[in-house]
């Protein structure tokens, strides 16, 4: 399987990129899988100009027509599901199950955004004067969407779909690790859907040029909004630049999510929640379970069962559908995961399962004897590693969970729902799920983090807020008497 790129998608046309093509690697094999157009700053500027030109007509398009086009894109995504599955496996090291999951749910992003066009409401305000007064929402203009590689379809789509629903136009820059399934295939979908020229533009570029292209996508005066999903250091730099230019910016960043297993938890359920949360997609999920805090009375049973489960998960290349743990995305990432495991073992942790590495493949690893000082407990690992700390009471659990720079999501396993609510309300996270893993997403719900996990929310009406300006409009009855 390979992919013949048609070019960058700018103003409804496929155009050659100004830079020399870059290589897209298959992490399962280490071989080049596709050759991808490499945009320069000038190409990014051309895409922004096309989006800027398309903006007035798209903003003026009746919302029902915008909704119809979003629904059409959803239908095309469904019809082309296997095209995306065939690309996502080799391009991103996603297992067959993960590809099927992501391709099945992504059309829902567009359908939810289409529904939101009906809910893009303002408010009638009281006024002390003889006039009508209202708060209305207007699209901001051109929105730059910069997306990561790990869930390339969902994470490109949530930036695009809600921005379009609100009447904005878009320039999408997918990750250099997923330029096809996170970008160029979407350009084909929007072309087929008949989206007007320039409403969505797609530019792909390699790692070497991303700082330049990224700078253009933020600093260009025609860009009025930025949707960034990715790592915390890059997101902070982008949010800082956007802030200095007074542009709207929604940044969804890294995480170090805790799964809290309380003393009344059903151990088998807790083990399933932990295994799914820590190991699905080799732990390369922003909401992955990266810290497990377990009540002392359950610790031994829980650890044994989680380690046993970890050993059953088959690791290997993603062209074999039996494998449920694929490779990590690249050597940089595998080095980081290995460094976290080695640091933990050197400081006295014990691997109850896994603990090694074979190239880009890291088997599911369960670590006990972990302390809060270890890098595996402090820094985002983004790999299939489940570090466990035992805690004695609810206060200690909450303190451990909150002792992090991150604040994305959390899971609390307890059969006592009232207690679960009490703990959830004390966690410093943007999201918390009781009796569930932290890994959760519904496209109409507010998705996002606190602290170093980001600011702004994707999903539902919160995404509409992120991609619109609220304006105050009054309409006076008669002629006002002015004092001068
Ligand atoms: P990354 O930060 O390396 O890349 C994300 C995007 O930013 C890519 O498109 C990349 O090309 C681009 N980029 C890189 N440098 C840039 C620059 N200087 N200017 C502009 N753009 C630039 O992240 P990644 O490795 O693709 O994804 C993994 C990270 O993303 C993890 O930290 C993960 O937790 C996070 N993530 C967060 C969420 C969320 O919703 N909170 C979702 C998925 C992933």
């Amino acid at each position: 399987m390979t992919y013949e790129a048609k070019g960058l998608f700018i103003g409804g046309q496929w155009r050659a990129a100004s830079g020399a093509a870059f290589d897209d690697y298959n992490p399962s094999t280490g071989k080049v899988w596709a050759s991808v157009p490499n945009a320069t700053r000038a190409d990014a500027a051309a895409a922004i100009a096309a989006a800027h030109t398309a903006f007035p007509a798209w903003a003026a398009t009746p919302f029902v027509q915008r909704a119809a086009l979003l629904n059409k894109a959803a239908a095309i995504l469904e019809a082309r599901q296997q095209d995306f599955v065939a690309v996502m496996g080799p391009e991103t090291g996603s297992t067959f199950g993960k590809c099927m999951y992501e391709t099945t749910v992504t059309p829902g992003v567009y359908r939810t955004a289409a529904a939101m066009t009906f809910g893009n409401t303002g408010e009638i305000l009281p006024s002390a004067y003889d006039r009508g007064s209202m708060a209305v929402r207007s699209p901001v203009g051109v929105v730059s969407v910069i997306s990561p590689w790990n869930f390339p379809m969902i994470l490109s789509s949530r930036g695009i779909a809600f921005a379009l629903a609100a009447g904005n136009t878009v320039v999408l820059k997918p990750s250099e690790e997923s330029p096809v399934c996170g970008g160029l295939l979407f350009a084909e979908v929007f072309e087929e859907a008949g989206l007007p020229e320039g409403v969505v533009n797609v530019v792909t570029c390699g790692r070497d040029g991303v700082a330049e292209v990224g700078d253009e996508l933020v600093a260009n005066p025609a860009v009025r909004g930025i949707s960034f999903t990715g790592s915390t250091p890059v997101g902070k730099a982008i949010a800082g630049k956007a802030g200095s230019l007074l542009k709207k910016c929604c940044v969804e960043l890294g995480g170090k999510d805790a799964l809290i297993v309380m003393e009344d938890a059903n151990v088998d359920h807790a083990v399933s929640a932990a295994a799914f949360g820590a190991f699905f997609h080799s732990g390369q999920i922003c909401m992955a379970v990266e810290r497990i805090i377990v009540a002392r009375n359950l610790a031994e049973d829980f650890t044994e069962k989680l380690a046993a489960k970890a050993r059953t998960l088959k690791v290997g290349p993603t062209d074999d559908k039996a494998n449920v743990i694929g490779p990590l995305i690249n050597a940089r990432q595998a080095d980081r995961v290995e460094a976290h495991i080695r640091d933990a073992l050197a400081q006295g942790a014990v691997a109850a399962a896994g603990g090694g590495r074979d190239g880009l493949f890291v088997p599911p690893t369960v670590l006990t004897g972990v302390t809060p000082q270890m890098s595996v407990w402090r820094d985002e690992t983004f790999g299939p590693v489940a570090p466990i700390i035992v805690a004695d009471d609810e206060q200690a659990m909450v303190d451990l969970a909150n002792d992090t720079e991150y604040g994305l999501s959390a899971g609390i396993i307890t059969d006592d729902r009232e207690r679960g609510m009490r703990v959830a309300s004390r966690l410093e996270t943007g999201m918390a799920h009781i009796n569930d893993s932290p890994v959760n997403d519904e496209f109409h719900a507010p998705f996002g983090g606190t602290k170093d996990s980001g600011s702004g929310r994707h999903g539902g009406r919160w995404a509409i807020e992120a991609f619109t300006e609220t304006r105050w409009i009054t309409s006076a009855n008669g002629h006002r008497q002015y004092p001068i």
Side-chain angles (χ1 to χ4, degrees):
M1 165 82 203
T2 185
Y3 178 79
E4 291 300 323
K6 297 181 200 168
L8 307 173
F9 190 66
I10 297 177
Q13 312 294 321
W14 294 95
R15 292 200 208 167
S18 306
F22 72 95
D23 291 333
D24 189 3
Y25 289 89
N26 176 339
S28 287
T29 63
K31 297 200 173 110
V32 174
W33 170 81
S35 179
V36 180
N38 201 355
T40 60
R41 181 187 279 272
D43 295 322
I48 293 164
H52 189 55
T53 303
F55 172 65
W58 180 248
T61 299
F63 74 88
V64 283
Q65 286 178 29
R66 291 205 299 266
L69 283 163
L70 288 165
N71 282 325
K72 201 163 171 195
I76 295 167
L77 281 168
E78 268 163 2
R80 295 196 58 181
Q81 177 173 22
Q82 290 311 319
D83 295 347
F84 278 87
V85 169
V87 168
M88 200 190 297
E91 186 170 49
T92 66
S94 297
T95 57
F96 180 70
K98 188 266 191 182
C99 293
M100 287 302 292
Y101 164 74
E102 191 168 356
T103 52
T104 300
V105 301
T106 300
V109 180
Y110 293 88
R111 296 212 165 94
T112 309
M116 284 314 302
T117 65
F118 291 76
N120 186 2
T121 53
E123 277 178 59
I124 302 292
L125 305 174
S127 175
Y129 306 101
D130 184 19
R131 63 183 178 185
S133 177
M134 66 194 92
V136 299
R137 293 196 166 283
S138 298
V140 293
V142 177
V143 174
S144 292
V145 177
I146 302 175
S147 58
W149 67 272
N150 60 331
F151 280 79
M153 292 182 72
I154 296 174
L155 300 175
S156 290
S157 295
R158 73 180 182 186
I160 301 169
F162 290 93
L164 293 183
N168 305 285
T169 53
V170 167
V171 177
L172 167 68
K173 195 212 74 63
S175 167
E176 58 282 358
E177 303 284 10
S178 57
V180 182
C181 65
L184 296 174
L185 282 184
F186 280 100
E188 293 183 15
V189 168
F190 293 123
E191 187 180 36
E192 189 180 337
L195 215 66
E197 287 176 6
V199 169
V200 174
N201 307 273
V202 181
V203 291
T204 50
C205 74
R207 194 90 198 171
D208 292 344
V210 77
E212 281 268 295
V213 168
D215 184 63
E216 187 68 24
L217 290 174
V218 177
N220 187 304
V223 171
R224 297 309 314 163
I226 296 112
S227 163
F228 175 85
T229 306
S231 60
T232 294
V234 178
K236 275 187 173 175
I238 286 183
K241 194 177 297 171
S244 73
L245 297 168
L246 306 180
K247 299 187 180 191
K248 288 206 98 167
C249 188
C250 182
V251 289
E252 303 287 7
L253 310 177
K256 195 70 194 168
D257 292 356
L259 181 76
I260 299 176
V261 181
M262 309 208 75
E263 68 265 21
D264 67 323
N266 175 302
V267 172
D268 291 337
H269 174 55
V271 167
S272 298
F276 169 70
F279 305 141
F280 183 54
H281 199 26
S282 300
Q284 299 169 111
I285 306 178
C286 54
M287 305 163 272
V289 169
E290 295 229 353
R291 298 177 299 150
I292 298 174
I293 300 163
V294 60
R296 191 167 296 282
N297 64 318
L298 302 181
E300 200 179 324
D301 193 17
F302 172 84
T303 305
E304 268 172 25
K305 286 180 168 161
L306 182 61
K309 171 101 183 173
R311 286 190 285 268
T312 66
L313 301 174
K314 222 167 153 244
V315 183
T318 56
D319 58 355
D320 180 348
K321 288 184 185 167
N323 290 329
V324 288
I325 306 288
L328 296 180
I329 188 67
N330 54 36
R332 189 163 41 98
Q333 191 47 38
D335 289 348
R336 176 188 176 85
V337 174
E338 185 184 9
H340 280 195
I341 295 172
R342 278 176 183 258
D343 169 74
L345 296 177
Q347 291 192 60
V350 174
R357 168 192 173 180
D358 178 9
L360 297 192
F361 294 91
V362 174
T365 294
V366 177
L367 296 174
T368 61
V370 172
T371 64
Q373 290 71 38
M374 295 175 183
S375 57
V376 78
W377 192 262
R378 301 222 72 78
D379 304 325
E380 187 177 38
T381 305
F382 221 53
V385 184
I388 301 174
I389 288 190
V390 179
D392 284 311
D393 56 38
E394 189 176 308
Q395 184 63 46
M397 289 174 158
V398 170
D399 289 344
L400 272 166
N402 284 339
D403 182 21
T404 171
E405 289 158 9
Y406 293 101
L408 193 55
S409 183
I412 304 149
I413 308 295
T414 173
D415 280 336
D416 181 343
R417 304 272 282 273
E418 199 180 324
R419 191 170 177 208
M421 278 302 291
R422 190 171 67 225
V423 171
S425 69
R426 297 180 64 200
L427 296 180
E428 298 162 357
T429 57
M431 304 173 284
H433 301 286
I434 298 159
N435 255 333
D436 207 343
S437 125
V439 179
N440 264 288
D441 196 4
E442 290 190 59
F443 307 126
H444 64 287
F447 186 104
T450 61
K451 302 187 335 194
D452 274 3
S453 291
S455 88
R457 293 290 178 268
H458 280 99
R461 70 180 161 85
W462 297 274
I464 297 293
E465 276 166 25
F467 301 124
T468 52
E469 294 286 4
T470 302
R471 302 178 60 224
W472 181 36
I473 296 181
T474 66
S475 168
N477 295 323
H479 298 159
R480 180 176 168 189
Q481 298 300 305
Y482 302 99
I484 56 169

